[in-house]
Amino acid sequence: MDGGGRFSQPLNAAGTPGSGGFLAGLRLPRILRRFSSARRLRPAVPIEARVPRLAGTALVAGLAGTVALTGFVMSGRFDAFVAENGRPLDILARIAGFGVERVTITGLSRMYEREVLSTAGIDWRSSVPFLDVDGVRDRLLAEKLIASASVRKLYPNEIVINQVEREPAALWQQNGEIQVIAADGKVIDDLRDERYVNLPLVVGAGANERLKEYLDLIEAAGPLGSRIRAGTYVSGRRWTLKLDGVDIRLPEADPAEALARLVRLERDSRILEKDIIAVDLRMADRVVVRLTEEAAAARAESRKKPKKGTAT
């Protein structure tokens, strides 16, 4: 600077052309020098050059596809498609050769194979990779007749189901409905066909829980046991047995002894072959027999006829 406080040379005299003039004469911090240099060296790139080609087209197509798929799902047509053809992943797996072509079931006793498959939810639309074995097992265990089950995948095309069925012991009728029960009285199935018709039949509230008592009575009946068709549990206290169409009314206490009396009566007098509809064994010192309507009417009529030699 001169004595008047002015610069003695032009402001850009210390630098070369393009070197920064006044700024070049100052000692800037290094980071500022880098920033200044980077800004000078970075070329300006138009935005259209930075966006990939066809990105706009792809974005519009993706948006249109999303809208179309949402409409397809919301309209219910997707559910109909899945119901008819299976889930999209299962379809792809079947195309790749991993469809379910064979199901091996072990432990079948009372159930049919088609019932197991229907309960498991396995059909031609299923695929091995995307089959939920835990879900299949849960559905099988929800079936009353199945006590335990396991499910395995065997690639590429097989499913193996191992199950253990509960053993049906009797039929239980209540409120007009007949169900199949196990030995412990647990309901395990409905009477849907003729598979269970030869099982013992108990009738009435609580009869299922007293099944063992009924089976013991059948055994106590000895030679008459095979002729017992059903047992009705009456008022939660005692049994009435249906034997060849005749009601056998048993006492609450010691019904086995009452049956022993019936066996002796049948052996000695063929009481069950007479025109009767009921035998009451509830009193220990006597047997009360109820005749059929026809037999009762005939008996009443015979009593009205006068005896020979009697004045009228």
Side-chain angles (χ1 to χ4, degrees):
M1 301 178 64
D2 58 12
R6 294 171 295 185
F7 284 99
S8 59
Q9 58 181 342
L11 291 177
N12 60 353
T16 59
S19 63
F22 173 71
L23 292 178
L26 301 178
R27 305 191 65 84
L28 298 174
R30 180 179 299 176
I31 187 170
L32 292 179
R33 291 202 301 272
R34 288 182 180 177
F35 177 74
S36 178
S37 175
R39 289 181 61 88
R40 290 197 305 272
L41 295 177
R42 181 178 298 159
V45 181
I47 187 171
E48 59 270 14
R50 283 180 282 169
V51 176
R53 297 182 64 185
L54 303 179
T57 304
L59 180 61
V60 172
L63 180 60
T66 301
V67 172
L69 180 60
T70 302
F72 184 62
V73 172
M74 296 298 292
S75 68
R77 286 179 291 175
F78 177 76
D79 293 336
F81 174 83
V82 171
E84 183 177 353
N85 302 283
R87 298 175 301 174
L89 290 176
D90 288 324
I91 295 174
L92 294 175
R94 295 201 311 265
I95 294 173
F98 292 99
V100 176
E101 297 181 1
R102 183 168 64 177
V103 180
T104 301
I105 305 174
T106 63
L108 286 174
S109 178
R110 299 283 179 172
M111 296 185 70
Y112 296 121
E113 182 176 323
R114 65 175 181 273
E115 291 176 324
V116 176
L117 293 177
S118 177
T119 301
I122 299 175
D123 56 25
W124 66 271
R125 295 168 296 184
S126 305
S127 69
V128 174
F130 299 107
L131 185 73
D132 181 4
V133 293
D134 291 332
V136 171
R137 181 177 179 275
D138 290 343
R139 287 191 292 272
L140 290 173
L141 292 179
E143 170 61 42
K144 298 175 182 178
L145 195 56
I146 298 178
S148 63
S150 63
V151 183
R152 292 185 297 122
K153 300 178 182 180
L154 292 181
Y155 283 89
N157 305 112
E158 185 176 0
I159 301 296
V160 177
I161 297 176
N162 298 311
Q163 68 178 40
V164 176
E165 296 181 9
R166 292 186 178 93
E167 189 65 26
L171 301 176
W172 175 39
Q173 180 177 338
Q174 184 179 218
N175 299 325
E177 297 182 358
I178 300 179
Q179 297 174 303
V180 184
I181 58 176
D184 60 356
K186 182 179 178 60
V187 175
I188 59 177
D189 199 2
D190 297 324
L191 184 63
R192 295 172 291 181
D193 48 43
E194 298 180 355
R195 284 176 291 178
Y196 308 111
V197 293
N198 293 323
L199 292 175
L201 173 65
V202 292
V203 182
N208 59 318
E209 299 174 354
R210 299 297 185 113
L211 177 60
K212 187 178 184 305
E213 291 182 15
Y214 174 66
L215 298 178
D216 289 343
L217 290 176
I218 293 177
E219 184 175 356
L224 300 180
S226 61
R227 297 167 62 180
I228 297 176
R229 298 292 175 259
T232 301
Y233 195 53
V234 182
S235 302
R237 296 184 296 106
R238 65 173 191 84
W239 289 93
T240 292
L241 306 182
K242 182 72 71 174
L243 196 154
D244 291 343
V246 179
D247 287 343
I248 309 298
R249 297 168 183 168
L250 299 177
E252 182 178 354
D254 204 358
E257 173 56 30
L259 279 174
R261 282 195 291 149
L262 180 65
V263 171
R264 291 194 295 270
L265 280 172
E266 177 63 15
R267 182 186 62 212
D268 297 339
S269 60
R270 300 295 179 184
I271 187 174
L272 297 175
E273 297 179 9
K274 303 183 183 301
D275 293 332
I276 60 175
I277 58 175
V279 177
D280 195 336
L281 300 170
R282 287 178 290 177
M283 291 177 284
D285 59 345
R286 71 190 66 180
V287 176
V288 178
V289 176
R290 182 180 176 185
L291 300 174
T292 63
E293 292 185 4
E294 294 80 2
R299 183 180 177 84
E301 185 66 24
S302 66
R303 288 185 173 183
K304 291 180 181 180
K305 293 180 179 180
K307 295 181 181 179
K308 292 182 177 180
T310 303
T312 59

